[in-house]
Amino acid sequence: MTALDRLSPLLERFRVRTRLFHTGPLCGVTTFDAQPGRGFLHVLRSGEMEVTHRGVSGRLDKRWIDKPSLLFYPRPLEHAFHNAPTADSDFACATLDFDGGPTHPLLRTLPPVIVLPLDAVGTLESALDLLFAEIDNVRCGRRVLADRLFEVVLIQLLRWILDHTDELALPTGLLTGLADERLAATLVAIHESPGRPWTLATLAHEAHMSRSSFAARFKQMVGQPPAEYVTEWRITVAQDRLRTGASIARTATELGYTTPAAFSRAFTQKVGCSPRAWLATAR
């Protein structure tokens, strides 16, 4: 794919904050609780273990990890590590807090868990080297720097996921759309400028496709019509703006709505309540 920054417009508007909370061995059974808006990123540096969590069907999903691996839980999902009592087991674990909680765009498109051997993601090596150098040496600012380096690891992982959506068999959604060379430019343009007066013609123009071909491709790869995605993105941005104190009138103008009333109608249709009612609940 040609050079195009597909992640920055998402991560600049909706941040993910990482925080190191454990390094070293874990013994016996360690359970990580599900909390709203919180994910986990674990790095098994050495050792082996069994991992369990509840699948979509409610059944207990068990996986045996016997090589250095990265375990990514983007959404709240209780999980447990078993049988890691040996001294040579070595972990680095961080929490992930997503701006907007469940409305974060990436949370809606990522699978519940991704487990990858570290050697499968070659671009992680330099970031992990820096991370473990900080973890292994107690120096001033160690925790703060380790938190930042976990962010680097996460971004490197998201880059890898974008380049391997077929291999991961991701469901249709934002990531499969961003991975599509014909659609990525349009999605980035929507993310960067949600208030533009988008039409099917202007969206197709960004992709250098005809309107009919673009509409069919977008629905196939993203899972919804282009106009619906534009509205959904605008409402997602609106929720973030309102949550941080922006007025309804200003938010409506910034997102391309002619009047606050038009924005309120679109918001209510998508969310199920008015912006004021939603904001009272969100706060």
Side-chain angles (χ1 to χ4, degrees):
M1 179 176 288
T2 56
L4 179 68
D5 192 341
R6 296 167 286 171
L7 287 175
S8 289
L10 287 169
L11 296 178
E12 287 172 349
R13 194 179 291 273
F14 297 96
R15 283 201 60 191
V16 184
R17 292 169 176 80
T18 58
R19 183 171 180 81
L20 175 73
F21 71 92
H22 176 82
T23 61
L26 290 170
C27 299
V29 179
T30 304
T31 301
F32 303 91
D33 295 330
Q35 298 182 33
R38 172 160 291 182
F40 289 91
L41 188 58
H42 307 286
V43 181
L44 174 62
R45 194 176 180 185
S46 62
E48 54 186 32
M49 63 177 178
E50 183 181 68
V51 180
T52 61
H53 61 261
R54 295 288 174 185
V56 176
S57 65
R59 293 191 310 170
L60 192 65
D61 183 6
K62 298 181 180 181
R63 302 192 187 193
W64 182 254
I65 312 296
D66 60 359
K67 61 176 64 175
S69 297
L70 184 148
L71 298 92
F72 179 33
Y73 288 85
R75 290 195 290 278
L77 179 64
E78 182 177 303
H79 54 286
F81 295 167
H82 304 255
N83 303 326
T86 59
D88 64 348
S89 65
D90 192 5
F91 295 85
C93 303
T95 55
L96 311 175
D97 288 300
F98 292 83
D99 280 1
T103 66
H104 193 286
L106 289 176
L107 290 191
R108 297 199 293 256
T109 193
L110 285 164
V113 60
I114 294 176
V115 179
L116 292 170
L118 295 185
D119 57 13
V121 189
T123 53
L124 279 177
E125 184 176 356
S126 57
L128 288 172
D129 286 346
L130 289 171
L131 174 64
F132 288 127
E134 285 301 317
I135 289 173
D136 292 341
N137 297 284
V138 180
R139 301 180 64 186
C140 295
R142 169 180 178 265
R143 179 175 291 279
V144 173
L145 189 51
D147 291 346
R148 300 296 183 271
L149 288 170
F150 252 115
E151 286 190 28
V152 175
V153 171
L154 175 63
I155 293 171
Q156 292 281 15
L157 173 61
L158 292 172
R159 283 179 176 176
W160 187 91
I161 290 171
L162 275 176
D163 292 335
H164 296 82
T165 54
D166 290 339
E167 182 179 327
L168 293 171
L170 294 183
T172 56
L174 174 57
L175 286 176
T176 53
L178 287 172
D180 187 275
E181 189 165 3
R182 285 172 286 184
L183 300 181
T186 299
L187 285 165
V188 169
I190 294 169
H191 296 159
E192 290 181 334
S193 305
R196 280 178 59 181
W198 292 111
T199 65
L200 181 58
T202 56
L203 292 168
H205 177 74
E206 293 285 340
H208 304 287
M209 299 173 69
S210 70
R211 286 178 293 179
S212 58
S213 296
F214 169 77
R217 184 69 178 174
F218 195 99
K219 179 69 180 296
Q220 176 191 358
M221 300 305 296
V222 182
Q224 58 189 142
E228 184 179 317
Y229 183 84
V230 171
T231 299
E232 186 175 278
W233 177 249
R234 284 174 172 171
I235 299 306
T236 299
V237 173
Q239 289 174 308
D240 179 64
R241 298 284 292 118
L242 294 172
R243 193 184 293 110
T244 55
S247 69
I248 292 175
R250 180 177 178 181
T251 300
T253 300
E254 289 178 348
L255 294 178
Y257 292 95
T258 54
T259 65
F263 164 65
S264 293
R265 286 193 297 272
F267 190 101
T268 301
Q269 185 176 11
K270 203 70 181 175
V271 179
C273 60
S274 70
R276 293 188 189 281
W278 174 85
L279 189 57
T281 303
R283 284 176 173 169

